[in-house]
Amino acid sequence: MSSQVLKVAICLYPGVQLLDFSGPLDLLGFLSASTPVFTTPPPPYLFALTQLSTEDTVAASCGLAIKPGSTYAQELAAGTQYDVLLILQQAGLLKGKRATTNKSLFNIITADSKDEVQWVHKARWVEDGNVWTASGVAAGMDMTIAFITHLSGPTVAAYVTSGAEYSACEKDNDPFAEIWSDEAQRKIAESFATALGAL
């Protein structure tokens, strides 16, 4: 049995955190089409990074598009915010879907789209059809392991987590939903606005 190769495109944004994309990419790298993979039988899917872009769009020919992280720019001080999920929502890709996002500013990020998107507050990640969304920075790695399990099964996922010495959280294991209460979110939003307003 030969493995199908999925092309991976990563779209980067100003201010992206390194772990937002490097964590998932490193985990996918254990199933790279360009290096030996030591599983028997071979995994049904391998991955090949084909595009690293700073543009808002990535090649439609890719099998997997990763749009990592949230971008908090000076617009936050003016009362608006850029976030990858906002871009997806504005493009209509989240309409009618279940999704989650970073808990530290969950209320702000989701405020304008509650009628269109079924936001899940307590979740490390949410999958709805072909759209997968993750919570905070490290949650993207948890979601990546779940995605590998979805595509290739638990044995292949265990090969990746063992190689990376990584213990992934389950989707409902989200203590940050409680840590980032409404009051904690308000305080961090005010801190961002004050800091960015001083620039």
Side-chain angles (χ1 to χ4, degrees):
M1 174 182 108
S2 61
S3 303
Q4 180 180 344
V5 177
L6 290 179
K7 297 177 182 178
V8 179
I10 299 178
C11 184
L12 302 180
Y13 294 83
V16 68
Q17 293 200 13
L18 182 63
L19 191 59
D20 279 335
F21 68 92
S22 67
L25 187 59
D26 195 51
L27 294 172
L28 293 175
F30 280 88
L31 300 173
S32 172
S34 61
T35 59
V37 175
F38 304 102
T39 64
T40 305
Y45 293 95
L46 296 175
F47 300 94
L49 179 63
T50 58
Q51 185 177 4
L52 188 64
S53 174
T54 57
E55 300 297 323
D56 286 348
T57 58
V58 293
S61 62
C62 289
L64 174 62
I66 300 175
K67 294 193 173 190
S70 302
T71 302
Y72 307 117
Q74 287 189 346
E75 289 80 358
L76 182 61
T80 61
Q81 172 190 340
Y82 287 123
D83 183 274
V84 172
L85 289 174
L86 293 181
I87 293 168
L88 295 175
Q89 190 272 328
Q90 289 168 358
L93 296 176
L94 296 181
K95 189 171 185 177
K97 298 278 187 184
R98 296 173 70 251
T100 194
T101 187
N102 191 300
K103 300 309 181 297
S104 64
L105 291 172
F106 187 88
N107 292 342
I108 292 173
I109 295 169
T110 62
D112 292 334
S113 58
K114 288 185 177 180
D115 292 338
E116 296 182 357
V117 181
Q118 299 171 43
W119 291 107
V120 181
H121 186 252
K122 186 172 182 178
R124 289 292 280 169
W125 77 89
V126 170
E127 74 277 1
D128 191 338
N130 65 348
V131 176
W132 292 58
T133 55
S135 183
V137 179
M141 295 176 67
D142 298 335
M143 183 181 72
T144 301
I145 295 301
F147 182 71
I148 290 169
T149 304
H150 171 77
L151 284 182
S152 300
T155 301
V156 174
Y159 166 80
V160 173
T161 55
S162 296
E165 296 187 15
Y166 180 70
S167 180
C169 291
E170 294 297 323
K171 74 164 77 177
D172 296 328
N173 182 8
D174 184 15
F176 304 101
E178 294 174 17
I179 291 170
W180 289 107
S181 64
D182 291 348
E183 177 66 13
Q185 289 183 56
R186 184 187 62 74
K187 287 180 179 178
I188 197 170
E190 288 174 357
S191 297
F192 268 117
T194 300
L196 293 172
L199 295 179

